[in-house]
Amino acid sequence: MEVREPSLAFGKQYLSIEEYLEMENASIEKHEYYKGEIFAMSGAKLQHNIITRNFYLALGLKLKGRPCQPFGSDLRIHVEKNTLFTYPDISVICGEVETLNNDEYNALNPSVIVEVLSPSAKNYDRGDKFNLYRGIPALKEYILVDSQSISIEAFSINSHGNWELKEYKDIDETLNIETIQVSLALKEIYEGSDLLSL
């Protein structure tokens, strides 16, 4: 998903969380929310969709029957610490899904978040958005998958509580997601994309 410029809603520049949720639950489009501002989220290109689909389906197969389950970009994630509401491309939640005031809309406890990078949003996903996601107590791994080149950046919390980066740039490598004990071949993630034919 790509995040566009801030949008006006209800004729107001800033919305309360309650106003945002009321608007969002009635809206056809998705919007990200942060500290009173809302940002329209546009659709993604074909490459982005192919890679996201591959990753999501592979996770679903490998996690079947296990206590962790993957969700697509229709699941809204809320970071209570900093007010962010957003829709990651993929999130994985282990155990019971906790939601804001038990509303069944706004999940609070993803262990893994995956964002497939688009040209316009990659700097935001790597920088400000990652900083906001760090406010999620349950989050242990954050994975960025490039849609324009064979490149995956996998951030994970080490034993000292610090985030470490591991990069994957070889199509013959395997991405290891330690938190959920899943390994995915990069060939599997990029299958069907133009990048495998380069």
Side-chain angles (χ1 to χ4, degrees):
M1 288 268 188
E2 297 186 12
V3 180
R4 300 200 296 258
E5 291 298 308
S7 305
L8 286 176
F10 298 140
K12 295 174 65 176
Q13 190 166 359
Y14 289 93
L15 299 182
S16 68
I17 286 176
E18 293 74 20
E19 288 171 325
Y20 162 73
L21 291 175
E22 179 186 345
M23 182 210 77
E24 194 70 352
N25 291 340
S27 176
I28 297 172
E29 285 189 332
K30 295 176 185 173
H31 301 83
E32 187 170 279
Y33 175 94
Y34 179 62
K35 290 189 175 178
E37 289 189 280
I38 64 167
F39 303 83
M41 302 183 77
S42 64
K45 291 183 178 179
L46 180 60
Q47 288 275 98
H48 184 290
N49 280 291
I50 289 171
I51 293 165
T52 304
R53 177 204 64 201
N54 290 347
F55 207 119
Y56 178 76
L57 290 176
L59 279 180
L61 286 172
K62 291 177 185 283
L63 292 173
K64 190 173 183 180
R66 293 168 58 183
C68 300
Q69 53 185 324
F71 295 88
S73 61
D74 281 336
L75 182 67
R76 190 162 60 229
I77 298 293
H78 175 46
V79 187
E80 290 184 289
K81 185 175 181 179
N82 53 47
T83 78
L84 179 69
F85 287 84
T86 191
Y87 299 83
D89 288 312
I90 300 168
S91 51
V92 180
I93 297 177
C94 298
E96 185 177 347
V97 180
E98 299 171 14
T99 58
L100 180 65
N101 301 320
N102 296 316
D103 63 7
E104 303 222 347
Y105 279 108
N106 302 286
L108 305 173
N109 61 323
S111 296
V112 179
I113 289 177
V114 180
E115 295 283 14
V116 177
L117 300 175
S118 57
S120 64
K122 64 168 57 179
N123 290 334
Y124 171 55
D125 286 341
R126 280 196 184 106
D128 291 344
K129 197 169 194 180
F130 185 21
N131 286 331
L132 295 174
Y133 278 150
R134 290 184 205 186
I136 301 172
L139 189 65
K140 300 292 183 264
E141 294 190 60
Y142 181 52
I143 299 167
L144 299 171
V145 184
D146 201 324
S147 63
Q148 294 189 301
S149 65
I150 304 295
S151 177
I152 295 177
E153 298 164 272
F155 295 88
S156 60
I157 295 182
N158 64 22
S159 58
H160 301 290
N162 299 316
W163 286 92
E164 286 186 348
L165 167 63
K166 184 166 184 184
E167 296 184 271
Y168 300 82
K169 295 186 178 293
D170 188 328
I171 194 62
D172 293 317
E173 288 186 286
T174 298
L175 168 68
N176 296 309
I177 310 173
E178 300 291 343
T179 304
I180 54 175
Q181 298 182 341
V182 165
S183 296
L184 299 177
L186 268 65
K187 283 180 180 174
E188 191 175 13
I189 295 169
Y190 285 99
E191 182 182 4
S193 73
D194 292 342
L195 296 172
L196 282 189
S197 58
L198 294 178

